[in-house]
Amino acid sequence: MFDKILIANRGEIAIRIMRACRELDVKSVAIYSDADKTSLYTNYADEKYALGNPSPSKSYLNIDKIMDIAIESEAEAMHPGYGFLAENSELRRQCEKNGIVLIGPSRKVIESMGDKITSKKLMKKAGVPVIGGTDSEVTDSDEAVKVAESIGYPVIVKASAGGGGIGMRTVYEEDELVRAIESTQSVASTNFGDSTVFIEKYIEKPRHIEFQILADDHGNTIHVADRECSIQRRHQKLIEEAPSPIMTDELRERMGESAIKAVEYIDYTSAGTIEFLYSGGEYYFLEMNTRIQVEHPITETVTNIDLVKEQLKIASGAELSYSQKDVKVNGHAIECRINAEDPLADFAPNPGKITGYRSPGGPGVRLDSGVYMNYTIPTFYDSMISKLITWGSNRNEAINRMKRALSEYIILGVKTTIPFHKAIMRNNYFLEGDLHTHFVDDHRKGIDDEMTGIMEEETERINRMRSTFMPGKKVAAISVAIGSYLNTAKNHQMKK
């Protein structure tokens, strides 16, 4: 095992990795920008080094500066977490050049699976089901029309280098196709420096089901069961659960075998995730994430397997601690991503100072967070505050515990997605497990109405909690502000 690991990330994922390091008796090194000087993770680490300028390009995306710190700190390995440089092959190259182990797969795998056209070709060769469409770049409009006609509308135009829902456009008829290709090429070029696009059959209202993978350098590969991530907004996940509500032993075996087949074909090592779209009893490869996922805690919760510790062990040359028969799914887990966003204003970011904070607890509750009372959420980075996870012996108990945990969770000073999650936990379609990737859009009015009602119901209760954080005059002033916000939200709903 390594003696020292640099965590090339920030926030809650940095703390999560540091916790694994501490349990393995490994020293952790934090890096931080000027905006993160007072962040919790910087004080949790054994060592910390400044990056300076808070701009992502000059801090957490600055490979040269991060490598300099890794060398100075004498770190033997580096964990990129998720986001930022987590799937960057140049970071891998620089680590190899400087004799530092990057915790993750090979450079070849990062590059091939990061390109949607290449990854689709590889999965097709591996015998994994893929969605019908082009196997190469689309440059000719006549060719595009022929492809769309052959697979049938609707189709989706995708950026090969895209991610996070950027560089995708759905087309329902031929007249829209050429404009969609040109538009997607422009977006792709601006955001990814690569204008390559391709066409796929668009599957309407699929479920998003993914499989967690672990693979070592000794030829051992397992899947650590499934997760459902269908509750999304703008292709960004909001709520995840494990297992999927529709999962059966037979379906898990089929999909798990496909996931293992996929990673074995590309000689994958480390933790990773194979994502599928599921519709009408069939499933299709969507993409692979060659890193630890945001939602990994729900898998840990239902399997009792520490995925991050396994990552570190694999990178150090050890064999997997588990075989496939050791993987057992126990109960049900749900994760709600708590973001500093206004869910009644189309999830607009709402960074700022947290003026009051009370975290939930009790049986079956886990909170992965990097914030605290009086912490200021920076404007430069992702708006995530924390990940709230609940476990139950079955899905119904996990939902009820999530309802309780959300009712206990108090965050003052910024708008958060807590009201959204409370509304979803009351939604009959969600309670029945009737999920798909357009769930939020299809049920938006009902969700928004429910959120508004929730905020009205809880104003008095929250005000009581506020008194534990601040003087009465401030409570009164904030009460007025809440009332004003609710009125604005109601007017916005009426205009809709």
Side-chain angles (χ1 to χ4, degrees), residues 148-202:
E149 287 177 347
S150 68
I151 60 178
Y153 289 94
V155 299
I156 185 166
V157 181
K158 289 184 175 181
S160 186
I166 301 171
M168 293 179 7
R169 184 163 170 180
T170 308
V171 179
Y172 287 88
E173 53 189 38
E174 185 179 321
D175 291 347
E176 305 171 7
L177 186 58
V178 175
R179 290 196 306 275
I181 291 171
E182 292 173 349
S183 171
T184 306
Q185 286 173 330
S186 176
V187 170
S189 179
T190 299
N191 287 276
F192 311 114
D194 181 354
S195 63
T196 304
V197 300
F198 65 105
I199 296 175
E200 278 185 344
K201 173 67 179 175
Y202 179 64

Side-chain angles (χ1 to χ4, degrees), residues 11 87 96 113-114 187 204 240 290 303 309 315 317 319 322 334 342 346 362 366 368 393-394 404 411 419 429 473 495:
E87 294 172 288
E96 290 171 355
M113 299 312 287
V187 170
E204 297 193 82
E240 302 96 350
T290 56
T303 64
K309 280 165 65 172
E319 289 193 49
Y322 306 88
I334 297 173
D342 185 352
D346 200 26
R366 168 177 169 175
D368 283 18
S393 58
N394 52 50
R404 171 180 63 77
I411 303 173
Y429 292 98
K473 289 183 179 179
K495 288 178 181 177

Side-chain angles (χ1 to χ4, degrees), residues 265-284:
Y265 187 80
I266 60 174
D267 294 324
Y268 191 86
T269 57
S270 191
T273 301
I274 300 291
E275 300 192 345
F276 297 102
L277 293 182
Y278 177 93
S279 178
E282 301 296 330
Y283 61 90
Y284 311 91

Side-chain angles (χ1 to χ4, degrees), residues 126-143:
V128 177
V130 298
I131 301 169
T134 56
D135 290 329
S136 58
E137 178 183 5
V138 172
T139 56
D140 181 78
S141 58
D142 291 335
E143 175 201 358

